[in-house]
Every structure is written in structure tokens, then in C-alpha cells.
Amino acid sequence: MVGVAICLGLALAGVQGAPSVPAGEPGGKGLAVRCAKALVCDEEGTVIDRAWILVRDGEIEAVGPHGELEVPPDYAILDVSDRWVMPGLIDLHSHRGGTLQDINSPVYQANPGLRVHNAVVPGNPALEVGVAGGVTTVLFIPGSATTIGGQGILLKTSAPDFEAMRVRDPGSLKLAQADNPKRWGYGMNRIMLNWHIRETLRRGVAYAERWRAFEEGRGEEPDTDPQWEVFRDLVARRTQISAHTQVYQVIYATLRIVREEMGLDVYIDHGTFDGFLAAELATELDVSAIIGPRSISAQNKGRGIDHDGKIVGVAAEYQRRGHPMIGFNTDSPIVPQAELALQAAMGVRYGFDDADMGTLRGLTTVPAQTAGIWDQVGSLEAGKDADFLVCPGHPADPRNAVELVFIEGRKVYDAEEGQTF
Amino acid sequence: MKSLKKLTTTLLFAWGFSLGFQAPLQAAPWDEEDDSEEAEASEEEEEEDRYLAIVGGDVYTGLGGVLRNVTILSKNGKIQAIEADPFLPEGTEKVDARGMRVYPGLVALSATNRISRGLFGSVELPEDHIDHEAEGEHHGHFYASLAQSHIEEVGQDQEDHFFDAQVDTDAVDSFDPYSQYLVLALATGITTAEQGSTALKLKRGEIEGVAMKDKHLTSVSFGSPASRRSTREKFERAAEYLREYRAWEDLNDKEAKEPSRKGVDGGTLNILLGRNLARFGANSRDELLGIARLAQRYGFRPVIVGCQEGWTVADELGRAGATAVVTPRSRRFKDEKLVRPGGTSIENAAILHAHGVQIAVTPSNTGFELSGITGRDLMHLPTEAGFAVRGGLTNEAALRAITIVPARILGIDHRVGSIEIGKDCDVILTDGDLLHYQTFVQYAVVDGKLVYDKEDEIFFAHIRPRPELPPLDPVQVEEEDEASEEPSEEEEEQDDEDEGDEDEEDEEEEGDEEDEKGDD
């Protein structure tokens, strides 16, 4: 009996002495990734040929070329020296964080107090499939059945539990204009919607201003109202409004009402049809254009849209007008979550000039900066989450399957164990 | 219309012989075609011969070979020569393929009837055109469910392609050779499209010769237990009848009573006789296994549309000689209650192909999606094939999956689907690798006629305009009087260019191309 106990004790001690935490993860030893190309996706769009990427405790420790960057001797080595490594892709328009049927509650016309975080289902198959497409961060947002559908949440696509998935909550306040919220009821047309959006935002901002006054020692403590709480984050620039807005006239209203009048951070989260006609104004007001799920615009009689019969690429048209912050989204499930990179490919097909890899920027840097999570994700820079993917070439080419995906240093997808996309 | 029918009859015969199919000496009762007209339907009145040369491209034959820097010469719509420098008769029209790739025109299965019906063509069909046969409904349901899974909220423009599989219509009667969708199909590289089991050649501005083959496919229902039973019964009855008939034939006894054809399904008979291909819509493993067994038992080669779980039974399907029509990106999650593998796999096409199953690719939406969602409709057929490559299929097999294999399914592979001498000159010229997302079709040629030039059409001319090359033929330039003002410089350049081309030819020519002059 004693002998057995000792054996057990030794076995336990053995386990504790050499913890089986894989390299790169928090608590594990360091991981050095050797690759053909490191697409850093920093502000400058740096590309390092034959690079090392050092990962420790779930974070990027350093990135540098062979021969220059020293790899500490105890680091585990992942040799993908004929592959590209780039930051995980970010999708700022997804409805696939959890149960699809629970994210549209059109009881009232505007619902700034609703939160989709209640609908998150960690490890749900639709999101897991997204990982296989290299998507590591999504903005899971409510549907567009009402002008303000509620608060979205920024999530990592693969993590053990809800807490680990959460990047930021609220991830955004979802605003929807024109077509979809018009269906809410009789008489809900664009002028009504715009009045209503303005009215709601004004009340929300006023609420936040009362709180700010109190916090700065001016005025009484206001009552807490969950319906308006999100505006305190908005006014303090801790979150943004993600706007379901497309068609020139509608985007124009978004820019004027939300950005100019209310002074809130907002980004275009469709921007399609002839929305690019507002590209110059969006540039001037520093509003990003995250484009999708549509990629092209053709003659549309019902909307009075005609580009002289041409079929034009939406991203290309923003680019042609000098818009500097063009990203891509899927509106998953409209386009499956895993096909985010294909959205960029379609941008290129229809005229987007990818000479400086603007597509990669639009899948990583632009959405990270737009959503205010640039300090955490979106590039392979020291101190950021080690969210990266390994791919045989440009991920926009459907023929290049993503082979490995890491989130915070943890391997979450390996095509060799079963290629799911 | 009459001459068209004659033509079709001729084609049917040509096809029959090309497969080595022996027509019985004695007209069997299932021969409904009157073949006495065959002799008449010979050559039409000879007009002047029409030549077109596609000069200086890299020809991807679709059979594995790539012929660099060669010229394809078409005579009256048929490929007569593929050579480095063939003799070009006087008046040969030229298409400049320098720097481009030349591929066989693509073949689209189950295409929307919008291609042929024009911009304002109605998708509503008269009641009597809708075939409510069980198989039709099954098929239609299959497409409808596919469509639903991909569309959800987008809606509107999507309904049209549900009808395709159900509609039993004379496609040519409603063919609009000026349809904008036809232009978009050509812009994608599609030169042949199937609609309701009819193979249509996408001629522009012409009706003559549009119908290539009609009703080569017989839809077979195998979804529900009831339909499986009835299908098995049909095959059993037809096989039994054929045995009885052959025995009766061998007996050669005038007194003996000819076996009754009562209760024998005509479509099934045609499948057993090898005249039609059996088309199934099936995705689940048990259905696929059932089809494989049925096919082996009765000796026919099934075409299976969908085939999502095919990768789990690839060996069985390969041994049954199946052809799979797959949408590589389609997704269906595995039933978690099952222990065995299941659901879709991105590797489906590659695994099936490795087991000898022929692969054809079709996108999830076989219509044209102009409301803005891209990458999953007929305009992105090569992209869909690219997803098969993602799963491990070779680029070559992926090209075949949108050219020769669908041509075989439609029974027109003796005419289209690859670039070979004697075949129809239906080719496309691209500015790069066809399977790359950035590649555009620059020219499309159908029956030796230039029918699409990207620069001349409204849709895509503004996207990466084609760079201008120095003219192909210096002699032609001299004839144009504007250019004669500064002839010396230009000519010099052209000479240099030409010399360069010849050098390349010498270096890169792959010696073993077919060099027999056309066999008329």
C-alpha cells in the first residue's frame, strides 16, 4: 500500500515538475516560428523574408529576419520555412458568434441596451469553421431588424470558454439604416429612420454627458439606465458604432448624423451599392469602410443605381477615391465565416489594386485599428496577442488552404489533423 | 427548325458511333428516331471557307498538355491546326493571343435559364412545362435546399435556378442570342451551358447550331425509400425486358411472340442501352452506396450531383465508374450521433478523384448574382474549381472539372471541352491562370467566331484594361492609311518583336504536338 502511494506521489510530482503546457502558450516555454515570409501587417506594411517569429506566454515577443534575430536556445521550433505567416484575420461583421436566431429582437424600434453576448456559444461549429479560414477575431453583432439592434461583442473565434473568447464587450453598438429596419413596421421609411436614429443617439449622448459631468465633479449622480449605459463607452471612445449602411444617400446620412452631429466613432460596415460615392467625405471624417458581403455594384433599377452599365468593384471604387481605410467583412452567414479572405480576393478581381498588399491590410490592420483593438491584435508586433496563421501563399487565393492557426499562442487549427476548409 | 432537327439527328448518330455503339441491324422497338433522313443531312451549301487564327498564345489543351506560343487555326468553326506557324489562308481573321493563355471554353452544368432568356426573360413557365415527375421534384428540391443554405437573407434574384432541373422545355425556342447574361457567361469563359438536360452552345447573335444535344441525361430518383424501391423495380423490369428481347432476337423465329414492352420505363431502357446517362442527386453516404450498388448491378455509370459524403465511400464510387458533380465549398455538418466519418469535406473532390471518380464542378448558385454577392455563382465557376484545388485536387483536374468532364456528362465531349484538332473551335483567352481570382477572360471564341472581347463590352472593360501590344501583322498596319505617316519606327519595332517571338518558339516548342492537318 505504501509503495503504491509513493509511486503515485512520484508520478504526480513528475507531472508538476514538467508541465505539459505547449510551447508558446501562457506558462509554457517559448516558441520560435521559422517562415519564408512574415507579413507583419504593421503601420508600414512590413514584410520580412526568411523570418523568425518568437512567441512566449501567448504573446508575440519579437519578429525579425534569420541571422539577425537571436532565438533563445530553449525555444521549441516550428519550422514552416516554405510558408507565409501573417496575423489572424479580423471580421468586423459576423452573426456567427452563437445562436443565429437570438440576435434580432425587434420589439422596440431602437435597442441600445440589448447585448448579443447572451447569445455567444463558444466552440460553435460555424465559428470553428471560420478558424480554418484563418479568422481569429470577429465582431459578433445583432441583426438589422431595428435601427439600433443592440451591442455587439468582439470575440476570439476559438477559446476554451466565454471569458477567454471575449476581446471587448461592448464590441460596438450596431446601427442599421434604410432597407432592413424599414420592415419593422408601417411608415418606417428613410426620413423616419433618420429622425429616429438622431433622436436615440441624442438621448444616449445626453445620458453619457450627465455621467461625465458627475464624474468631473459637476452635477448630481444620475440614475443608472441599462438602456443608455453603452453611450458612456461611446462618448469616452471606448467603443464604436458599427453601421449597417449602404447606398450613397444612406452613408451620407451616417456620416453627417453619427460622426459630425454626434461626434461618435463610427465605421461603415457594408458600404456597398454606390456607397463609394461618399468615400471622399468618409475619408475627410476619418471613417473606415469595412466592405461586404457584396463586392460588386451593377445596374440596379429599383435603387436608381447605374454605373453606365459597368459592373464595378466596391473596394476598388473606394480605393480610386483615395479612401485609406478599406477593410472586408463577410456578414456571416451571408458569406460563410471561413471565406473572409475570399472577400478580399473578390475586391481584387473587380479592380482593387493589391500591389502593396492592401488586401492583407484590409483583413488585419484596418479592422483592428477601426475597432480600437490595435494594441492587442492585427499585426505581428511585439506585445500583441500571438494570433497568427500559416499559409502556403496569399490567403486570398482560394487554392491556398490555411494550414495552421494559433490564437494567443495556442494551436487551434491544424489542417494535418483534418482539413475543414 | 427542321434543319435544326436534322442536325441534331446527325449529331446523335455521330456521337453514337464515336462511342462505338452498335446500332442493331434490325430497328429495335426503342428506336424512335427516323434515320432515313440521315443521308440528306450531309453538307450544306458551301459558302466561302471561314478561317480564324488565334496567334501566339500558350495553349492549355485541357488534356494535360501545354503548347507554348502556338497558333490555333480554325476552319469553318472547327480546329484545323495547332502549330507553331501554320499556313494561314488569305483573309484569315486573327486574334492576338500573345502573352495570353488559351483554354477550352468552359462547360456549365445546370445553368440558369437566364443565359438563354435574356435580361427581361421571364422565369415563369407555362404550367405544362413543369415536370412534376418524382425525379424532377427530387432534383428541384435538391437545388432549392442548396440555394437556401447559401442565401438566407439575400433573397430576390435567386429563385430562377430552382426551375432548371424541373423544366422540360425546348430551350432553343426561347433562346435569346442577344442576352446580356449570355455575354456575362462568355465573360466568365463559359461557351457551353446545360439547361434542363439540353446542351446549348452559347453562340452570339445566332440560333443555328445552338442546340448541341438534347436529353442526354435521365434523372433517376433515389432519395426516399419509396423512390429507391421504384427505381430498382424500373431497372429490374428494363433489364428483364432487354434479356427477353435479346433472346427473342437470337431465336429468330417468326412464330415466337415479341416480348412486351409494357411497363418498361423508356428512360431506364436508354440508360441500360448506354444512350443516356443516369443523373442522381444524392449526398448522404447510404444513398451513394445504394447508387454504386445499383450501377454495378445493372452495368451503367452514374452521374451523381452533390455527392457531399462521397469522400467516405470514394472507393465504391470509383469502382462503380461514377462521375461526381460537386460544389467543393458546400457545407453540411456531420451528424454527431454517427461514429463513422460524414458531412462535407473540402477534400471531397481530391479524394474522389484519387479513387477514379471523374469530377465536375458546379457553383452553389448556377445563376448570375448581380445584386453584389460574388464568388459563388456562375460568374465565378473557376473560383469554385479553385476550392477543389484547396482540398488537394490538381490544377489540371480542376480545369477538366469545368471543361471536358461536364462535356462528357452532356455527351458532347467529341465536340467541346478540350482543344484538339477536329473539335469545335470554342476557346477562351485569358490574361493569366484561369483558376486565379484576378484573371479575366479577354476574348471568347465560339465556333471559330470571336464573340467576346473584354475591351468592347460594357461590363469589365474598365477593370485592368488590356495593355496594347505592337500590331500582330505589319502588313495590315501599312494598309491602314493613318499609320503610314510614321512607318519606319513602328516597323522596326514590329520586326524586333517578331524575331523575339520566333526565338521563343524554337526554345519552348513542345515537339510532340499533333501536326496532322485537319481531317475535314
Side-chain angles (χ1 to χ4, degrees):
Chain A
M1 230 10 235
V2 173
V4 172
I6 289 170
C7 280
L8 266 177
L10 278 175
L12 283 172
V15 169
Q16 279 164 355
S20 59
V21 178
E25 292 186 29
K29 59 180 186 172
L31 175 71
V33 184
R34 179 192 168 118
C35 62
K37 236 181 230 308
L39 306 161
V40 180
C41 293
D42 54 3
E43 289 274 13
E44 294 78 35
T46 307
V47 176
I48 305 171
D49 286 327
R50 300 195 301 120
W52 283 109
I53 298 153
L54 304 185
V55 177
R56 186 157 197 127
D57 288 333
E59 289 184 357
I60 306 277
E61 197 177 40
V63 183
H66 290 205
E68 283 181 34
L69 188 71
E70 204 162 302
V71 179
D74 66 323
Y75 275 43
I77 287 175
L78 172 65
D79 190 352
V80 285
S81 49
D82 56 350
R83 293 291 190 257
W84 295 14
V85 173
M86 68 203 79
L89 313 183
I90 302 170
D91 186 358
L92 292 186
H93 198 138
S94 171
H95 302 298
R96 277 302 203 192
T99 46
L100 198 56
Q101 64 274 26
D102 287 328
I103 55 171
N104 252 331
S105 287
V107 180
Y108 303 109
Q109 281 180 18
N111 310 279
L114 299 184
R115 295 184 288 184
V116 294
H117 79 204
N118 298 300
V120 172
V121 179
N124 78 77
L127 208 51
E128 289 285 334
V129 162
V131 179
V135 181
T136 54
T137 305
V138 296
L139 175 64
F140 175 37
I141 43 175
S144 47
T146 61
T147 52
I148 293 176
Q151 303 163 27
I153 180 168
L154 282 156
L155 298 171
K156 291 285 173 74
T157 45
S158 184
D161 55 41
F162 174 73
E163 302 295 332
M165 283 176 86
R166 183 173 54 195
V167 176
R168 195 185 73 209
D169 188 15
S172 80
L173 182 65
K174 165 82 182 271
L175 172 77
Q177 292 173 270
D179 305 272
N180 292 358
K182 270 164 81 171
R183 297 187 208 129
W184 187 86
Y186 174 76
M188 291 288 284
N189 48 41
R190 286 187 192 171
I191 55 172
M192 174 66 196
L193 288 170
N194 283 346
W195 174 86
H196 187 252
I197 288 164
R198 193 177 259 119
E199 179 74 2
T200 310
L201 295 183
R202 191 149 47 203
R203 292 170 69 185
V205 171
Y207 173 86
E209 291 297 347
R210 283 199 295 280
W211 269 100
R212 185 194 280 184
F214 164 70
E215 279 158 2
E216 289 171 359
R218 304 176 277 117
E220 287 173 38
E221 182 173 355
D223 291 336
T224 299
D225 186 343
Q227 178 76 346
W228 303 111
E229 273 294 290
V230 66
F231 281 89
R232 293 175 65 186
D233 288 322
L234 280 168
V235 167
R237 301 271 162 110
R238 288 190 295 264
T239 193
Q240 303 80 25
I241 285 181
S242 60
H244 165 115
T245 182
Q246 49 190 355
V247 179
Y248 169 65
Q249 178 202 45
V250 180
I251 292 178
Y252 189 85
T254 314
L255 297 172
R256 292 291 185 208
I257 297 171
V258 186
R259 186 83 190 94
E260 265 194 339
E261 284 180 36
M262 306 296 162
L264 301 175
D265 272 353
V266 62
Y267 51 91
I268 297 163
D269 213 1
H270 278 315
T272 39
F273 295 104
D274 60 352
F276 50 78
L277 296 173
E280 273 116 347
L281 181 62
T283 308
E284 198 180 299
L285 296 173
D286 199 15
V287 172
S288 297
I290 311 297
I291 294 160
R294 292 178 172 84
S295 305
I296 55 170
S297 180
Q299 188 188 58
N300 188 320
K301 289 210 179 90
R303 293 175 184 274
I305 292 170
D306 189 355
H307 315 291
D308 301 328
K310 294 172 192 161
I311 294 175
V312 300
V314 178
E317 292 295 322
Y318 277 91
Q319 190 184 44
R320 199 158 70 83
R321 288 168 174 77
H323 196 290
M325 293 287 278
I326 302 166
F328 302 92
N329 71 39
T330 60
D331 198 356
S332 172
I334 302 297
V335 167
Q337 189 64 71
E339 294 178 24
L340 177 59
L342 181 68
Q343 294 290 87
M346 289 295 119
V348 176
R349 172 163 187 79
Y350 294 101
F352 185 86
D353 181 0
D354 198 22
D356 58 357
M357 296 227 196
T359 47
L360 279 180
R361 205 174 150 261
L363 296 167
T364 56
T365 317
V366 170
Q369 291 181 341
T370 299
I373 47 175
W374 179 238
D375 57 338
Q376 194 184 340
V377 295
S379 68
L380 299 177
E381 290 174 288
K384 290 199 180 183
D385 292 356
D387 298 356
F388 60 94
L389 58 99
V390 176
C391 196
H394 202 303
D397 191 331
R399 291 175 294 178
N400 290 336
V402 173
E403 292 169 354
L404 289 166
V405 181
F406 287 79
I407 292 182
E408 291 168 26
R410 193 169 63 91
K411 186 167 81 177
V412 293
Y413 174 72
D414 185 346
E416 281 200 0
E417 290 164 13
Q419 187 185 341
T420 53
F421 182 62
Chain B
M1 238 12 249
K2 201 181 170 195
S3 67
L4 204 118
K5 199 186 165 191
K6 276 186 203 167
L7 185 68
T8 317
T9 316
T10 324
L11 290 180
L12 275 166
F13 265 84
W15 169 79
F17 285 114
S18 75
L19 278 189
F21 168 62
Q22 295 278 315
L25 294 176
Q26 180 185 6
W30 53 78
D31 284 323
E32 280 153 18
E33 307 259 358
D34 179 7
D35 41 319
S36 59
E37 289 176 309
E38 195 215 345
E40 288 175 45
S42 56
E43 298 301 295
E44 290 163 31
E45 280 300 304
E46 279 303 320
E47 290 168 28
E48 208 153 292
D49 285 336
R50 184 166 51 78
Y51 290 97
L52 178 124
I54 298 152
V55 183
D58 289 350
V59 176
Y60 288 70
T61 57
L63 301 164
V66 182
L67 310 170
R68 307 233 178 246
N69 196 6
V70 295
T71 293
I72 299 174
L73 178 65
S74 144
K75 180 187 179 187
N76 299 331
K78 299 278 180 195
I79 297 173
Q80 198 188 31
I82 311 169
E83 285 174 35
D85 192 14
F87 170 72
L88 303 182
E90 180 109 21
T92 300
E93 190 188 341
K94 287 178 193 163
V95 181
D96 185 358
R98 285 174 297 168
M100 291 192 202
R101 297 188 182 200
V102 185
Y103 290 96
L106 311 184
V107 181
L109 295 170
S110 304
T112 172
N113 54 18
R114 269 196 167 177
I115 288 183
S116 60
R117 281 170 174 255
L119 190 54
F120 307 107
S122 165
V123 294
E124 282 174 37
L125 291 148
E127 189 67 28
D128 59 346
H129 271 175
I130 296 173
D131 179 6
H132 288 292
E133 286 282 306
E135 54 260 42
E137 261 174 27
H138 172 68
H139 216 80
H141 178 73
F142 168 71
Y143 279 103
S145 64
L146 259 187
Q148 263 165 10
S149 67
H150 279 276
I151 289 138
E152 305 199 40
E153 288 171 40
V154 184
Q156 47 182 2
D157 281 352
Q158 306 281 343
E159 297 109 357
D160 51 7
H161 61 288
F162 299 176
F163 289 91
D164 304 329
Q166 298 180 20
V167 170
D168 179 15
T169 181
D170 188 347
V172 177
D173 284 348
S174 56
F175 187 82
D176 173 3
Y178 301 99
S179 160
Q180 291 199 36
Y181 289 97
L182 187 142
V183 180
L184 285 171
L186 294 169
T188 311
I190 298 165
T191 55
T192 307
E194 179 224 347
Q195 285 175 8
S197 188
T198 304
L200 297 177
K201 183 176 278 247
L202 301 186
K203 296 187 117 183
R204 205 166 165 194
E206 285 181 79
I207 300 277
E208 185 76 35
V210 160
M212 298 185 74
K213 194 165 188 70
D214 200 14
K215 307 275 173 286
H216 184 61
L217 291 159
T218 300
S219 287
V220 182
S221 166
F222 210 70
S224 63
S227 69
R228 287 183 206 190
R229 197 181 317 118
S230 86
T231 293
R232 279 199 202 93
E233 279 165 10
K234 276 184 195 167
F235 274 94
E236 192 51 48
R237 179 72 192 96
E240 192 189 339
Y241 167 72
L242 272 181
R243 279 194 300 274
E244 287 168 1
Y245 187 84
R246 297 293 187 213
W248 173 76
E249 217 176 20
D250 289 344
L251 208 59
N252 202 10
D253 178 359
K254 280 180 188 161
E255 301 297 307
K257 195 174 161 231
E258 184 182 332
S260 162
R261 222 188 121 178
K262 201 169 174 230
V264 177
D265 178 64
T268 310
L269 198 58
N270 278 337
I271 292 168
L272 293 184
L273 287 166
R275 294 179 166 187
N276 279 17
L277 283 177
R279 172 156 67 179
F280 296 81
N283 284 310
S284 71
R285 176 192 166 106
D286 57 328
E287 278 176 86
L288 296 172
L289 282 175
I291 291 165
R293 278 194 292 270
L294 187 78
Q296 285 196 303
R297 174 160 185 180
Y298 294 103
F300 66 94
R301 300 184 145 213
V303 174
I304 306 171
V305 181
C307 210
Q308 287 178 325
E309 289 190 340
W311 59 284
T312 67
V313 290
D315 190 32
E316 287 84 347
L317 293 175
R319 276 187 273 136
T323 300
V325 183
V326 300
T327 302
R329 256 183 299 174
S330 62
R331 191 171 292 282
R332 155 163 131 166
F333 290 107
K334 183 195 162 189
D335 182 348
E336 292 298 338
K337 291 193 292 291
L338 299 176
V339 177
R340 60 154 176 88
T344 48
S345 166
I346 190 80
E347 297 173 275
N348 193 25
I351 293 171
L352 285 168
H353 187 259
H355 285 85
V357 176
Q358 295 192 67
I359 300 293
V361 163
T362 180
S364 59
N365 175 353
T366 53
F368 290 93
E369 179 57 67
L370 289 181
S371 76
I373 309 272
T374 52
R376 47 208 342 100
D377 60 352
L378 215 52
M379 267 162 68
H380 302 86
L381 179 59
T383 304
E384 196 64 56
F387 276 96
V389 177
R390 187 187 190 94
L393 198 68
T394 60
N395 281 306
E396 262 175 46
L399 175 62
R400 287 199 293 273
I402 51 179
T403 52
I404 191 74
V405 177
R408 281 180 198 140
I409 291 173
L410 298 174
I412 52 172
D413 54 311
H414 61 299
R415 289 188 57 192
V416 300
S418 61
I419 299 179
E420 290 176 85
I421 289 171
K423 278 194 164 186
D424 295 5
C425 187
D426 293 4
V427 302
I428 54 173
L429 281 69
T430 67
D431 51 15
D433 182 351
L434 179 69
L435 298 179
H436 192 276
Y437 55 88
Q438 192 171 306
T439 298
F440 263 103
V441 170
Q442 296 288 337
Y443 299 103
V445 172
V446 171
D447 273 355
K449 283 185 188 163
L450 184 64
V451 289
Y452 175 82
D453 177 348
K454 174 170 167 276
E455 302 301 293
D456 289 349
E457 306 289 343
I458 202 167
F459 300 112
F460 303 121
H462 60 287
I463 300 173
R464 292 184 289 277
R466 190 161 63 226
E468 274 195 37
L469 287 173
L472 196 60
D473 189 349
V475 183
Q476 280 185 353
V477 176
E478 272 180 77
E479 280 167 8
E480 282 171 16
D481 43 17
E482 284 93 3
S484 61
E485 282 172 29
E486 32 175 359
S488 55
E489 249 185 56
E490 267 191 21
E491 270 186 9
E492 260 176 40
E493 269 181 37
Q494 289 143 15
D495 289 345
D496 289 347
E497 180 67 31
D498 285 353
E499 273 167 33
D501 278 356
E502 274 162 23
D503 288 347
E504 273 180 41
E505 278 168 25
D506 290 340
E507 278 169 25
E508 297 185 30
E509 200 55 61
E510 298 192 4
D512 55 348
E513 52 166 300
E514 301 126 295
D515 52 5
E516 41 181 320
K517 295 261 172 178
D519 47 0
D520 294 349

